[in-house]
């Protein structure tokens, strides 16, 4: 890179996921905040059919202010991806170009689950966030819970059902996880397919709905408690934010409460907790981050019961990244503003890649 060259950051957004729209909003915010003295954004959008295109920063979105109607513009240049060559080919001019690092802002399957991370790894492009295995583990609520259980981290009771097998009866399900309980696709996010089940009829409908999104479905004990979240940022130093609280105004923190209903939830930052409880949760956030093989950033979500018991609910390896999302807001509490956060993430990304590049890849 020449003296004046900026680091070219591939912002990868959209994706073949039910969280496509959320991703576009995160991307828009990251691009707006990128330190353009240091970085040049290269906008790569993946449409819902999985096609990758190159976009202009100015007009890559349509209906950008509407969380339901926001979408990628039709003016992208289709791209061909070369594994092993670190480059992308524009299909309009056939010119190849490369990027110095990628910031995948993709939520859910085909983006947050290790698939895109694997592709970038093959291409030799540094990418922000968890590595392939950490991404895959963080996406799969079944595997995630088994690792947490193994590490002695408190989690609620759960059971797993596969689409190939006959689902348990309502009675059997209640016997395993109590009543009411939660039904979720194992691999999803943004509360898509997440349902609270109170009776047999809801049970029947819920499995149908959850199996629309995944072939593996998880049942979980209902944990009545406050929803507490912590941001972890790992780089030159490991930073864990004070806990924040989500106060959903719906029965639970559903997709509607998260993204559609503007008054669907209140965020309280920092959460009103004793210093001791706050410390306990922060330590648990770090332990969870490490147990689940995460890197660079993640948000860890908890339930805190009336009795003061802390349960880990889940980890998000690519948390919502809009300016008003919990993750950036929590780090703001540590004196790390949105722009500074993005800069630190990119710098850690490149540093990690350089370390890994020094590893031997053959015995001789
Ligand atoms: N076991 C549970 N007990 C109580 N509430 C739950 C439970 N599981 C999920 N919820 C509610 O549903 C929301 C979404 O579930 P979550 O597992 O976090 O899925 P996602 O990965 O889609 O965010 C949570 O924020 C919470 O409000
Ligand atoms: Mg969640």
């Amino acid at each position: 890179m020449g003296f004046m060259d900026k680091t070219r950051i591939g912002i990868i957004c959209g994706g073949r996921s039910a969280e496509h729209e959320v991703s576009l909003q995160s991307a828009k915010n990251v691009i707006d905040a990128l330190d353009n003295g240091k970085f040049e954004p290269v906008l790569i959008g993946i449409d819902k059919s999985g096609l990758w295109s190159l976009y202009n920063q100015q007009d890559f979105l349509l209906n950008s202010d509407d969380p339901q109607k926001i979408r990628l513009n039709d003016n992208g240049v289709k791209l061909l991806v070369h594994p092993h060559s670190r480059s992308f080919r524009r299909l309009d001019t056939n010119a190849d170009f490369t990027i110095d690092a990628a910031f995948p802002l993709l939520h859910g399957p085909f983006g947050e689950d290790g698939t895109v991370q694997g592709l970038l790894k093959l291409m030799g492009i540094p990418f922000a966030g968890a590595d392939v295995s950490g991404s895959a583990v963080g996406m799969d609520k079944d595997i995630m819970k088994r690792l947490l259980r193994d590490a002695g981290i408190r989690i609620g009771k759960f059971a797993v059902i596969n689409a190939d097998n006959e689902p348990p009866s309502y009675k059997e399900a209640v016997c395993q996880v109590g009543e009411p309980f939660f039904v979720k696709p194992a691999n999803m996010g943004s509360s898509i397919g997440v349902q609270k089940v109170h009776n047999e009829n809801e049970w029947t409908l819920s499995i149908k709905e959850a199996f629309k999104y995944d072939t593996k479905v998880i049942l979980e004990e209902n944990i009545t408690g406050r929803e507490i979240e912590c941001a972890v940022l790992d780089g030159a130093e490991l930073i864990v934010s004070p806990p924040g609280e989500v106060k959903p105004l719906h029965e639970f923190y559903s997709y509607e409460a998260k993204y559609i209903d503007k008054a669907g939830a209140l965020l309280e930052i920092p959460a009103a907790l004793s210093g001791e409880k706050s410390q306990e949760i922060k330590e648990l956030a770090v332990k969870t981050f490490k147990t689940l093989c995460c890197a660079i950033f993640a948000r860890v979500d908890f339930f805190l019961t009336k009795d003061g018991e802390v349960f880990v609910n889940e980890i998000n390896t690519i948390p919502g990244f809009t300016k008003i999302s919990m993750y950036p807001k929590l780090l703001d509490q540590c004196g790390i503003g949105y722009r500074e956060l993005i800069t630190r993430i990119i710098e850690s990304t490149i540093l990690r890649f350089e370390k890994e590049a020094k590893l031997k890849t053959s015995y001789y």
Side-chain angles (χ1 to χ4, degrees):
M1 260 191 310
F3 162 66
M4 297 291 283
D5 288 350
K6 294 180 190 175
T7 308
R8 286 162 55 82
I9 306 300
I11 309 282
I12 308 182
C13 61
R16 277 170 66 190
S17 143
E19 294 164 278
H20 183 93
E21 289 76 14
V22 182
S23 160
L24 296 180
Q25 292 183 57
S26 292
K28 175 173 175 264
N29 283 258
V30 168
I31 290 160
D32 288 347
L34 209 60
D35 181 342
N36 48 31
K38 287 184 180 161
F39 306 116
E40 178 190 334
V42 176
L43 221 81
I44 297 172
I46 306 175
D47 71 15
K48 285 189 173 175
S49 70
L51 286 175
W52 294 43
S53 301
L54 180 68
Y55 289 90
N56 279 322
Q57 188 179 338
Q58 293 75 23
D59 58 0
F60 79 108
L61 289 177
L62 297 172
N63 314 319
S64 66
D65 294 325
D66 184 331
Q68 280 169 296
K69 293 197 185 126
I70 187 171
R71 64 180 186 89
L72 283 168
N73 207 338
D74 311 312
N75 59 1
V77 173
K78 294 278 173 305
L79 292 177
L80 201 66
V81 175
H82 295 279
H84 297 298
S85 80
R86 227 190 144 152
S87 64
F88 299 89
R89 176 164 297 170
R90 304 172 57 118
L91 289 182
D92 57 347
T93 57
N94 278 334
D96 287 343
F97 68 91
T98 191
I99 52 179
D100 299 304
F103 198 151
L105 281 162
L106 299 162
H107 305 298
F110 306 112
E112 193 176 351
D113 61 350
T115 50
V116 164
Q117 289 75 9
L119 177 63
L120 292 167
K121 198 142 199 174
L122 271 179
M123 292 176 78
I125 293 174
F127 56 89
D131 210 335
V132 176
S133 57
S135 301
V137 161
M139 186 88 273
D140 188 314
K141 290 183 163 68
D142 164 37
I143 297 174
M144 172 174 70
K145 280 175 194 285
R146 287 193 262 151
L147 288 183
L148 292 173
R149 184 174 58 192
D150 181 67
I153 292 171
R154 187 185 283 124
I155 52 168
K157 282 187 205 145
F158 69 99
V160 175
I161 54 175
N162 281 292
D164 292 340
N165 302 333
E166 186 67 25
S169 68
Y170 181 63
K171 249 193 181 162
E172 285 164 337
V174 169
C175 193
Q176 290 192 62
V177 290
E179 188 181 37
F181 61 93
F182 275 82
V183 173
K184 314 174 182 178
N187 290 275
M188 202 27 91
S190 289
S191 300
I192 291 164
V194 174
Q195 300 148 89
K196 192 171 182 176
V197 169
H198 310 76
N199 55 50
E200 188 159 359
N201 186 37
E202 284 178 3
W203 164 237
T204 313
L205 295 172
S206 73
I207 12 185
K208 249 201 185 150
E209 179 65 14
F211 276 127
K212 283 183 191 163
Y213 297 101
D214 199 351
T215 54
K216 186 163 75 168
V217 162
I218 181 162
L219 318 187
E220 285 181 27
E221 166 190 7
N222 172 51
I223 297 170
T224 308
R226 293 164 66 187
E227 294 199 46
I228 306 288
E229 307 187 343
C230 251
V232 181
L233 177 65
D234 197 8
E237 49 175 334
L238 184 112
I239 295 167
V240 53
S241 75
E245 180 167 1
V246 178
K247 296 182 167 172
L249 304 174
H250 295 225
E251 189 181 5
F252 64 92
Y253 200 23
S254 61
Y255 186 91
E256 285 68 29
K258 284 179 182 175
Y259 307 111
I260 307 296
D261 179 1
K262 282 208 166 83
L266 301 173
L267 303 189
E268 195 166 304
I269 300 171
L273 295 168
S274 70
E276 212 173 295
K277 196 45 76 184
S278 171
Q279 191 53 34
E280 180 189 336
I281 291 172
K282 283 169 71 169
E283 282 168 20
L284 200 50
V286 174
K287 187 171 177 190
T288 300
F289 184 87
K290 291 188 171 166
T291 298
L292 298 176
C293 319
C294 274
I296 306 188
F297 59 82
R299 197 190 71 223
V300 186
D301 298 350
F302 306 89
F303 296 117
L304 172 62
T305 69
K306 266 208 183 79
D307 306 334
E309 278 189 327
V310 184
F311 289 78
V312 170
N313 173 31
E314 62 156 345
I315 199 158
N316 291 283
T317 56
I318 308 185
F321 247 97
T322 71
K323 275 178 296 204
I324 56 160
S325 297
M326 186 62 120
Y327 184 83
K329 279 187 144 188
L330 286 173
L331 281 159
D332 202 55
Q333 293 287 306
C334 307
I336 302 172
Y338 193 74
R339 168 169 307 194
E340 163 77 5
L341 170 64
I342 311 283
T343 300
R344 285 198 190 205
I345 287 173
I346 295 170
E347 285 171 354
S348 308
T349 297
I350 293 172
L351 211 65
R352 174 181 64 177
F353 183 82
E354 285 169 351
K355 267 193 211 159
E356 283 176 3
K358 291 196 187 112
L359 295 173
K360 285 180 76 173
T361 53
S362 70
Y363 188 59
Y364 294 105

